[in-house]
Amino acid sequence: MKIKILDGLFIRHNQIEKNRQSIWFLHGFADSGLAYKEVFDSSLSTEFNLYVVDLPGFGVSPMNSEYTSIKEHADLLSKIIKKETENSGKVNIVAHSIGALIGTWVCQQQSEKINYFFNIEGNLTEADSYFSSKPLSFKTAKDFIKSFEGEIFEYAIKEERYRRYYSSLRFAMPQGMRNWGVTSQEYIKNNKCGFEFNNLNCNKIYIWGDLDTPKETQDFLKEQNIPNRLYRGIGHWHMVENSENLYHDIKSAIKTV
């Protein structure tokens, strides 16, 4: 694994042939690229150029005053991807939770370049914003983070997946989390984000588990006939709870197109 900084974003990556396809990994609310730590030990690392991003205000990446909203983060990342892959192969996106909004917008903006979009329990319905909407219940980012850290810490005592999440949460900027929560609302209402994902023209699949995915989202998948893959017995963080199978199946899917 290597490190590079592109337009202020901290990015973990490998380095193989420049003309190979790339896979860009986007984390969710209050998370960081650490969620994808195992990918560099997977078979993906020998066949694809991997880019694991810390988005602005999360992980090691500082907040960016020119890009504050979640939609603007997509604009920034899209610009980076276009420049970084200008002379290389197709681009694949793997995005988790509300980070899948960013993934969807990148796929819209880079439609000619995108090969496959893997949406891991991303926001399709309003019910999916059970974490990212929490800042709206507090007057300030400081008030929110005090409550949220306590809540996640209680989960982390009992479950490994939440311990990984808590480690990233401690590095996330409270105002960055609030910005995502506030600026994502217009895209979540009336399940707009789900329809945007379904309308993408690229190869795409929604990856979900039966432990945490809300019933409203399960129903939406069926009603809209969205391509999906269910992993039974898996919760919200597939790349932590089920990394070996997930990365094997991502590799297989890319190789079919």
Side-chain angles (χ1 to χ4, degrees):
M1 183 182 72
K2 300 179 181 294
I3 300 297
K4 65 171 62 181
I5 309 295
L6 298 176
D7 285 354
L9 292 191
F10 182 89
I11 299 176
R12 301 164 180 86
H13 70 105
N14 64 344
Q15 193 164 3
I16 58 175
E17 296 176 21
K18 184 68 176 177
N19 64 346
R20 297 283 188 95
Q21 290 191 51
S22 63
I23 310 177
W24 294 72
F25 297 83
L26 315 181
H27 61 77
F29 179 78
D31 217 334
S32 76
L34 289 176
Y36 297 103
K37 184 169 70 72
E38 286 79 5
V39 75
F40 292 103
D41 295 320
S42 76
S43 58
L44 290 174
S45 66
T46 62
E47 297 194 38
F48 302 96
N49 294 307
L50 308 181
Y51 295 84
V52 178
V53 180
D54 282 359
L55 290 156
F58 301 95
V60 186
S61 296
M63 292 184 63
N64 187 326
S65 59
E66 296 182 14
Y67 300 88
T68 56
S69 73
I70 191 169
K71 188 67 176 287
E72 289 171 334
H73 286 187
D75 296 339
L76 173 62
L77 185 60
S78 183
K79 181 178 71 171
I80 291 171
I81 291 174
K82 183 177 182 180
K83 182 177 180 181
E84 180 71 8
T85 64
E86 186 175 9
N87 298 312
S88 61
K90 288 283 189 175
V91 171
N92 303 275
I93 303 291
V94 177
H96 179 237
S97 199
I98 201 171
L101 268 69
I102 295 175
T104 295
W105 296 325
V106 169
C107 289
Q108 290 174 349
Q109 295 177 22
Q110 301 289 329
S111 59
E112 75 291 343
K113 191 79 173 178
I114 299 297
N115 179 39
Y116 221 120
F117 180 23
F118 300 88
N119 182 332
I120 304 176
E121 301 227 355
N123 289 59
L124 295 183
T125 70
E126 293 185 44
D128 291 315
S129 61
Y130 47 86
F131 276 173
S132 56
S133 291
K134 283 182 179 290
L136 278 69
S137 300
F138 297 85
K139 291 183 178 180
T140 67
K142 184 178 180 180
D143 291 337
F144 156 70
I145 194 60
K146 182 178 180 180
S147 172
F148 193 55
E149 282 188 357
E151 178 184 355
I152 299 304
F153 182 77
E154 291 299 317
Y155 289 129
I157 292 173
K158 303 174 184 178
E159 298 186 55
E160 170 59 30
R161 58 185 181 146
Y162 278 101
R163 284 192 280 277
R164 177 83 66 89
Y165 184 54
Y166 184 76
S167 67
S168 290
L169 169 61
R170 292 287 292 160
F171 284 96
M173 298 296 293
Q175 189 58 51
M177 286 184 270
R178 182 172 176 79
N179 287 347
W180 270 26
V182 172
T183 63
S184 63
Q185 292 306 301
E186 64 178 293
Y187 307 104
I188 291 169
K189 295 299 182 184
N190 300 314
N191 304 336
K192 179 180 177 182
C193 47
F195 290 110
E196 282 194 277
F197 172 71
N198 201 27
N199 288 334
L200 290 174
N201 293 321
C202 62
N203 300 297
K204 60 182 182 289
I205 190 166
Y206 188 85
I207 295 168
W208 62 288
D210 55 359
L211 295 187
D212 296 330
T213 301
K215 184 179 184 301
E216 294 91 333
T217 299
Q218 296 183 39
D219 291 342
F220 188 85
L221 287 170
K222 295 177 182 177
E223 293 164 2
Q224 301 301 319
N225 196 29
I226 293 175
N228 69 93
R229 173 68 184 270
L230 166 63
Y231 291 94
R232 295 194 179 279
I234 302 300
H236 191 55
W237 287 271
H238 291 246
M239 56 283 197
V240 176
E241 303 169 57
N242 189 36
S243 62
E244 186 174 349
N245 289 329
L246 174 68
Y247 294 138
H248 174 272
D249 291 347
I250 287 175
K251 177 181 174 180
S252 297
I254 293 175
K255 284 182 169 293
T256 63
V257 295

